[in-house]
Amino acid sequence: MTQNEFVKYLEEEEISIFEIKNLKNSLDLDNRTINEIVENIVVKGFLSRIERGKYCRTNFRDENVIGTFLARESAVAYWSALNLHGLTEQFPNKIFIQTTQLKKEVEFAGITYQFIKVQPNKSVGIVFNGYGNYKYSITDIEKTIIDCFDLPQYCGGFAELIRAFYNAKLKAPKLIDYCSAVNNIAVIKRLGFLAELFEKKNLSSFVKFAKSKVNRSYNLFDTFGENTGETNNNWYLRMNLSKENILGIVQNQN
């Protein structure tokens, strides 16, 4: 196969991003041949090397597709998903990808991709956006909220997360299912408290579920805050962020 034939194959099959090992068998080429062809095309500027064995067309720059392509069993998540769901106007300076695989950060075309490994039982609530070459996996709204409360260091700040929860149109059954999968009691207590405080009537069944999970171990409401404030004996939370401050955060949105 010549380089021109390879390029023609990509165009005919409408392939914009690929892994060499997946094309090798389809084209019946050995490792040396296909690597030489691809690397020569990279030199000519038609293809870009994302990382070893993974390439895309030079003009293909969909960071969500690229991020989920780089790791198996993955999805756009955390701060990146919050932004895509319209729950924050803040833009993260990297793309956050949740995956069941251990993977180091990757930098490509000026974008940093950070991979957060979770246990397989936490890999739930995944949907798809886009079509064809532009299709990628992403955590849905409920799972995104839960993930951000589970690992708030990847969500752009606790106040922003409170606003996201307040504004999100959430479904109680999904919250219950995903919270059961993630199994972080402190997160369940924080979400239950907020649902009750914000009087989200459609989440009454979730609040009931959350109350059934409350234990007698006190957790800080704001994970990053100091160990101060009143104790909430219904939810066993130390309110290092007062109810007044929480309500102020959501009432003073621009």
Side-chain angles (χ1 to χ4, degrees), residues 3-4 8 12 18 22 44-45 68 70 105 137 140 142 155 164 167 197 232 238 248:
Q3 294 173 38
N4 287 338
K8 184 179 180 181
E12 289 177 346
F18 64 90
N22 293 333
K44 292 179 179 179
T68 53
L70 284 169
E105 277 190 0
S137 50
D140 68 14
E142 288 82 3
C155 81
N167 291 317
L197 178 65
N232 182 312
R238 180 169 289 279

Side-chain angles (χ1 to χ4, degrees), residues 6 44 58 129 140 174 242:
F6 186 85
K44 292 179 179 179
T58 302
N129 281 353
D140 68 14
K174 286 187 176 183
S242 69

Side-chain angles (χ1 to χ4, degrees), residues 110-247:
I111 303 292
T112 299
Y113 298 89
Q114 182 170 348
F115 302 91
I116 296 92
K117 182 184 177 182
V118 297
Q119 294 300 315
N121 61 286
K122 292 188 176 185
S123 185
V124 296
I126 295 172
V127 294
F128 292 90
N129 281 353
Y131 300 92
N133 284 316
Y134 295 91
K135 183 178 180 180
Y136 63 90
S137 50
I138 180 174
T139 52
D140 68 14
I141 291 175
E142 288 82 3
K143 182 56 165 32
T144 298
I145 292 289
I146 293 168
D147 282 339
C148 287
F149 273 93
D150 185 40
L151 297 173
Q153 63 268 39
Y154 303 125
C155 81
F158 208 69
E160 195 69 12
L161 185 49
I162 290 171
R163 292 189 193 97
F165 180 86
Y166 179 79
N167 291 317
K169 295 180 179 179
L170 302 167
K171 296 180 180 179
K174 286 187 176 183
L175 284 178
I176 293 170
D177 288 346
Y178 302 160
C179 277
S180 298
V182 173
N183 195 31
N184 184 329
I185 301 302
V187 168
I188 295 173
K189 291 195 288 186
R190 294 183 186 110
L191 292 175
F193 167 81
L194 287 175
E196 191 172 64
L197 178 65
F198 296 151
E199 298 181 350
K200 286 181 171 276
K201 304 298 184 184
N202 63 314
L203 297 185
S204 58
S205 62
F206 171 73
V207 171
K208 183 178 180 180
F209 161 82
K211 286 182 175 179
S212 74
K213 297 295 182 179
V214 171
N215 55 24
R216 293 183 175 274
S217 176
Y218 280 93
N219 301 102
L220 294 177
F221 175 73
D222 181 351
T223 310
F224 300 120
E226 297 181 0
N227 189 13
T228 58
E230 297 181 355
T231 55
N232 182 312
N233 295 326
N234 291 323
W235 291 101
Y236 278 81
L237 292 169
R238 180 169 289 279
M239 300 307 299
N240 53 357
L241 192 61
S242 69
K243 286 184 179 180
E244 292 73 22
N245 286 335
I246 294 169
L247 292 172

